[in-house]
Amino acid sequence: RTRSTKFHFEADRKRYIMRQATLRQLTGQYLKKAPSEIEFNLNSFGKPELASANAALQFNLSTSAEWVMLAFARHRKTGVDIEKIRQDLDWREIASHFFHTREMECIGGLPEAERLDTFFTYWTMKEAFIKARGVGLQRSLLEIDFTPVVRAGQKSYVDADRSKWLCVSFRPGEQLVA
């Protein structure tokens, strides 16, 4: 409730409260506890997590306008991102700061009509990956290349530390990428 007062617009406050209530309700179902019994902490990088006694259940949440996406996993880190495709976005500027050179080459080699969608596919995958790791931006996103996943259709990504990640991209709506 305290955090919800920081939103300027009433609609944003209401969406925040609904997201948090849904998170508590679903988490309670997984843990077989009342939503009011669920305790959340922030890790040292600011990622929300369950109190230590419940560490076996991992979750992640993402929002884009009125959309919310939740992911839950047991004994695994999880991350999720959802984005509404914005036609007015200068994706080239963003990609130039955060995308690996192979990712930029991949997008640049596509027909113009496919570039924005592909940008959002890469962007949501990078966001979800960083959120799943839960350690902030310790590494530059420029070092992370999801081209084998996005363009070659692979389902796994092996990070520089040899950790293996399952990566799934999908379209939950006409103008949404997750």
Side-chain angles (χ1 to χ4, degrees):
R1 289 184 189 133
T2 302
R3 289 179 74 188
S4 73
T5 63
K6 295 179 182 178
F7 290 94
H8 181 73
F9 297 107
E10 182 66 20
D12 293 335
R13 266 191 297 282
K14 287 180 179 179
R15 278 196 291 263
Y16 175 80
I17 290 168
M18 184 60 74
R19 286 191 307 262
Q20 294 307 114
T22 302
L23 175 61
R24 277 189 178 282
Q25 183 70 36
L26 292 173
T27 304
Q29 288 176 12
Y30 279 114
L31 298 175
K32 298 181 181 7
K33 291 184 172 189
S36 60
E37 295 177 43
I38 307 300
E39 292 184 44
F40 295 100
N41 296 323
L42 296 178
N43 76 9
S44 60
F45 295 95
K47 181 181 180 183
E49 59 188 14
L50 291 167
S52 60
N54 302 315
L57 182 68
Q58 300 288 310
F59 72 91
N60 199 239
L61 179 143
S62 179
T63 64
S64 183
E66 69 276 5
W67 294 93
V68 62
M69 181 169 284
L70 292 145
F72 292 89
R74 290 203 184 271
H75 306 290
R76 311 190 140 55
K77 294 179 180 181
T78 188
V80 66
D81 188 44
I82 186 169
E83 297 288 342
K84 183 174 174 150
I85 297 173
R86 292 182 31 221
Q87 301 297 325
D88 63 337
L89 184 75
D90 184 0
W91 65 265
R92 287 174 180 86
E93 175 67 20
I94 295 168
S96 70
H97 293 289
F98 299 107
F99 282 23
H100 190 278
T101 55
R102 281 190 289 268
E103 293 171 333
M104 291 294 291
E105 290 167 4
C106 172
I107 295 172
L110 294 172
E112 187 65 37
E114 296 176 33
R115 291 180 183 175
L116 186 62
D117 279 4
T118 304
F119 163 82
F120 275 102
T121 299
Y122 275 115
W123 185 255
T124 56
M125 197 160 291
K126 285 178 177 274
E127 282 277 332
F129 176 69
I130 291 300
K131 290 170 69 176
R133 289 178 45 104
V135 293
L137 289 171
Q138 288 185 334
R139 290 181 24 225
S140 168
L141 291 176
L142 292 167
E143 299 172 20
I144 301 168
D145 179 15
F146 279 114
T147 300
V149 177
V150 173
R151 297 311 302 162
Q154 294 178 11
K155 293 288 187 202
S156 64
Y157 171 75
V158 179
D159 196 18
D161 65 0
R162 300 256 190 249
S163 59
K164 190 173 183 181
W165 298 84
L166 172 66
C167 302
V168 179
S169 180
F170 62 99
R171 304 290 298 264
E174 188 176 319
Q175 289 298 309
L176 296 168
V177 177

